[in-house]
Amino acid sequence: MSHDKMMYVHPAPVRVWHWVNAAGFVLLILTGLQIRFAETFTFFTLEDAINIHNYVGFVVIGIYGLWVSYYFGTMKIKLYFPDLRTFIPDVIRQAKYYGYGIFIGEPNPHVMTPDNKFNAMQKKAYLGLMFVFLPAQMITGLFLWRVKKFEDYISLLGGLKIVDTVHVLLFFFFCAFMIVHFYLATLGHSATAHFKAMFTGYEEHH
Ligand code: HEM
């Protein structure tokens, strides 16, 4: 396939952020499971699990800086914001497609372009993910890393129990997110098209 039939949709900083973040999440989930349920999961020694969790946590926080710098530095962050005038009908159309249309061979109602690469459901999901869920997970994780150092902030948020509960609930949310995200990522024009695009940067024009 020549490059003129391909659209460049994922610039290098986005791809680097995405795969470092994804690999980080896999490790954080495995070590997090062990830290939370130490008797059930023994992938590593408990001490290693804690150390890996802490180091990888900082890698994920650091690489989030790359995502923020790229998207705000280029103003491409607009890609993540839905058009509020058409948001509700767009979401309904997209949900109908995922729930029914796709199974009877209807075309995807959202046509991807480099300036509008996400459909309305992706925008809503990714906006919440990148602006609320991921920052909340990083902040609560940072506070739990050095409880004494951040005790004032922890009490401001309602105490250690609340911070810990938020961190664990978000952990379950991210486990569920990864499954749904993986499934939706297989729904390109072929099952591997979106995965390839996240490695090469190019999505096929259809
Ligand atoms: C092994 C796990 C993962 C796989 C296989 C995967 C796969 C993909 C693929 C194929 C895409 C491009 C298609 C699309 O936009 O839907 C994508 C985009 C995206 N993924 Fe993932 N992903 C993984 C983990 C994650 C995690 C853990 C997060 C965040 C916590 C995440 C956040 C995103 C975001 C925000 C985008 C859009 C990026 C952009 O173009 O700006 N992914 N993912």
Side-chain angles (χ1 to χ4, degrees):
M1 178 72 47
S2 70
H3 270 191
D4 55 7
K5 289 202 176 126
M6 308 288 264
M7 277 180 302
Y8 191 54
V9 286
H10 302 307
V14 174
R15 285 177 278 146
V16 171
W17 162 75
H18 183 270
W19 291 121
V20 172
N21 180 69
F25 259 75
V26 171
L27 278 171
L28 286 170
I29 287 175
L30 291 178
T31 51
L33 265 177
Q34 179 164 358
I35 295 168
R36 188 70 184 78
F37 305 105
E39 266 136 51
T40 316
F41 298 99
T42 48
F43 308 116
F44 313 91
T45 66
L46 187 57
E47 201 191 340
D48 283 348
I50 294 169
N51 285 329
I52 297 170
H53 199 82
N54 290 342
Y55 283 118
V56 175
F58 279 106
V59 172
V60 164
I61 292 176
I63 205 82
Y64 180 71
L66 176 67
W67 180 87
V68 170
S69 314
Y70 172 76
Y71 270 115
F72 283 91
T74 57
M75 287 312 287
K76 292 217 161 110
I77 193 64
K78 279 185 273 182
L79 288 171
Y80 277 71
F81 287 90
D83 180 346
L84 290 180
R85 289 162 305 183
T86 57
F87 179 63
I88 292 176
D90 285 350
V91 167
I92 294 173
R93 214 161 39 125
Q94 197 65 38
K96 270 191 186 154
Y97 170 69
Y98 284 139
Y100 179 67
I102 193 168
F103 300 111
I104 56 164
E106 276 181 7
N108 191 328
H110 174 257
V111 179
M112 187 194 235
T113 65
D115 294 328
N116 188 20
K117 66 174 166 173
F118 301 133
N119 66 50
M121 283 177 77
Q122 281 173 310
K123 285 180 186 167
K124 181 174 68 74
Y126 289 155
L127 197 65
L129 188 70
M130 299 309 292
F131 284 90
V132 181
F133 293 94
L134 199 49
Q137 189 67 322
M138 295 188 299
I139 292 167
T140 51
L142 186 73
F143 291 173
L144 291 170
W145 169 64
R146 288 288 182 271
V147 172
K148 199 90 204 96
K149 192 179 165 121
F150 294 108
E151 63 186 344
D152 292 347
Y153 296 107
I154 293 174
S155 5
L156 213 64
L157 291 175
L160 191 55
K161 253 196 183 148
I162 304 266
V163 174
D164 186 39
T165 306
V166 170
H167 197 72
V168 173
L169 287 179
L170 283 172
F171 160 81
F172 289 120
F173 162 80
F174 279 111
C175 292
F177 163 79
M178 298 268 281
I179 296 168
V180 174
H181 185 56
F182 193 91
Y183 166 66
L184 291 175
T186 63
L187 303 184
H189 64 86
S190 77
T192 53
H194 288 333
F195 293 88
K196 282 191 196 140
M198 215 8 129
F199 282 104
T200 62
Y202 289 91
E203 184 83 48
E204 207 174 309
H205 226 310
H206 259 250

